[in-house]
Amino acid sequence: MRVLQINIFGNLSTGKIAVDIYRTLISNGDDGIIAYARNQIAEGIPHIVIGNKISIYLDGFMTRLTDRAGFFSKKSTIKLIKSIDDYNPDIIHLHNIHGYYINVPILFEYLHKCGKPVVWTLHDCWSFTGHCCYYSMANCEKWQTECCNCEQLRSYPASFFIDQSKRNYNDKKQMFLSLSNLHLVCVSEWLEREVKKSFLQDIPCTVIHNGIDTDIFRPVESGFREKHGLVNKKIILGVASTWDTRKGLQDFIELSNRLGDDYTIVLIGLNEREKRCLPRNILGIGRTDGPEELAGIYSTADVLLNASVEETFGLPTIEALACGTPAVVYNCTGLPETIKDGDGFVVEPHNYDEVIEKIDYICENRIRVPIENFRFSKNKTYKKYIELYEELIQV
């Protein structure tokens, strides 16, 4: 069985998921390749690079002018289609097809003509809205009927001048419903419930939670505390690939004003501007040198706080749990699905008193998560993709 995956990232965020699915394929005796546009991919992974920096910047520029995300990058997409034909996969597996790198109409016209089974893992809500990837903060439900007069034009994928949300919505609806061989995968039960309210509701759908490599994310020794002078501190950890309002950066800053001197907040994934704006009791760190270093930081932290309010699942939470570190998460979107008894706590968003109460409880009782019952190993979750591929090929 040969599986070709298409994703925006090579080895960041959803790119890590695509790589782990590829490795699961190989361990099963199958074959695979990943087509991606941004960031480097892990060494040894067969890959196709889609477009280049210039084509991505041009696509992003045109999207900002026109509000037509996914309707540019024609040459890059035509070249990708030739590569797909050359590889001749049995399954084409889509991940995020937004991100200024692919022409969605050309891609879906090809998918319709080639007739191969298509799996599409939804990592956000872009597929069934006219503009945005998330709408919870905006309390918007227009996507359930027809998007128009978008309230989030300046949110990714940002448009500076024009609102094409109604047109985008109807074009997506026409394109995505044109495939009779499409099977959706949602990374959380919450996302599946949202899909069932959208124009995608009649497309077959399976829930497969994200998984992680427990050979990497496991309790390990780390010199992180000594390196940063935190030996006698209680460490509250926050991790994100990019930090913004929905990821809870302001929540961490607010908590820093309420915590005692025995606590330090450590945030991973900040840029230089964000680090300069932090209060003294928050340690800001950019990207780590790799997942092994990140696993060491997870292992040494006392608790992870996932303060995101728009998260389809929440990889940092399960990465921390795999390293034995309990988590406190907001009762929003897919995050509660990552927590069970003994793993941590689910709290109401922005309830800082409750957050501090749960963090104090975890730290005072020195709670660690028993890793023998960890539910999200890639060896468990991604085998479900293999089973799905085999089922679709046999149809």
Side-chain angles (χ1 to χ4, degrees), residues 95-378:
H95 291 276
N96 278 353
I97 57 172
H98 56 82
Y100 315 128
Y101 78 105
I102 205 164
N103 185 287
V104 177
I106 292 175
L107 174 64
F108 269 76
E109 182 181 2
Y110 168 76
L111 295 175
H112 179 76
K113 289 180 178 178
C114 78
K116 294 180 182 291
V118 177
V119 173
W120 189 1
T121 298
L122 304 185
H123 298 283
D124 55 38
C125 307
W126 181 87
S127 60
F128 52 88
T129 74
H131 177 87
C132 63
C133 294
Y134 298 96
Y135 42 72
S136 300
M137 288 178 60
N139 293 315
C140 179
E141 296 182 348
K142 295 175 185 176
W143 55 273
Q144 297 182 25
T145 50
E146 183 181 63
C147 288
C148 62
N149 300 322
C150 182
E151 302 169 17
Q152 299 195 97
L153 276 185
R154 293 301 180 95
S155 299
Y156 169 86
S159 173
F160 291 157
F161 306 108
I162 301 174
D163 180 355
Q164 297 267 35
S165 57
K166 182 176 181 178
R167 182 182 178 188
N168 293 338
Y169 179 92
N170 287 298
D171 283 348
K172 287 181 183 181
K173 182 177 181 179
Q174 180 180 6
M175 285 187 292
F176 301 159
L177 297 184
S178 70
L179 295 188
S180 60
N181 54 351
L182 175 62
H183 193 105
L184 301 176
V185 172
C186 291
V187 297
S188 64
E189 294 169 10
W190 171 83
L191 184 55
E192 182 188 38
R193 291 193 295 270
E194 299 297 282
V195 167
K196 293 304 181 183
K197 303 173 191 175
S198 77
F199 61 71
L200 299 175
Q201 60 188 276
D202 294 327
I203 296 177
C205 184
T206 301
V207 175
I208 301 179
H209 288 125
N210 292 330
I212 57 171
D213 189 343
T214 50
D215 290 333
I216 295 175
F217 291 100
R218 58 187 176 85
V220 295
E221 295 295 324
S222 170
F224 182 81
R225 286 179 179 271
E226 290 77 10
K227 178 180 178 181
H228 294 282
L230 302 175
V231 173
N232 297 316
K233 295 286 188 178
K234 301 171 186 174
I235 297 177
I236 303 170
L237 183 63
V239 179
S241 55
T242 56
W243 284 94
D244 52 27
T245 302
R246 71 180 184 88
K247 291 289 186 179
L249 181 56
Q250 290 303 316
D251 294 62
F252 281 100
I253 292 174
E254 176 63 29
L255 283 171
S256 73
N257 297 323
R258 299 175 180 230
L259 293 166
D261 292 337
D262 52 337
Y263 281 101
T264 293
I265 295 173
V266 176
L267 300 183
I268 309 292
L270 294 165
N271 60 38
E272 292 302 317
R273 179 187 59 80
E274 289 165 339
K275 285 194 281 186
R276 288 195 297 269
C277 297
L278 294 176
R280 60 174 181 81
N281 57 346
I282 298 183
L283 171 62
I285 296 175
R287 301 201 186 283
T288 58
D289 290 335
E292 292 81 4
E293 181 186 4
L294 183 56
I297 300 174
Y298 280 129
S299 297
T300 200
D302 293 283
V303 59
L304 176 105
L305 172 61
N306 194 329
S308 178
V309 294
E310 292 182 325
E311 201 79 45
T312 48
F313 184 63
L315 275 178
T317 305
I318 63 171
E319 288 172 349
L321 298 178
C323 295
T325 300
V328 176
V329 306
Y330 278 171
N331 187 19
C332 295
T333 58
L335 284 176
E337 295 173 43
T338 62
I339 299 296
K340 66 175 183 178
D341 291 343
D343 289 348
F345 299 97
V346 179
V347 301
E348 292 307 308
H350 318 302
N351 187 332
Y352 303 118
D353 290 338
E354 187 180 13
V355 170
I356 292 172
E357 175 191 337
K358 300 305 184 187
I359 288 174
D360 282 341
Y361 179 86
I362 288 170
C363 292
E364 289 171 6
N365 291 279
R366 300 179 180 273
I367 294 175
R368 303 302 290 176
V369 175
I371 61 172
E372 57 270 17
N373 296 324
F374 184 66
R375 297 174 291 152
F376 303 110
S377 165
K378 70 171 187 177

Side-chain angles (χ1 to χ4, degrees), residues 8-12 36-41 49 287:
I8 174 62
F9 295 120
N11 198 26
L12 175 69
Y36 76 98
R38 295 188 183 189
N39 307 107
Q40 298 299 311
I41 200 164
V49 178
R287 301 201 186 283

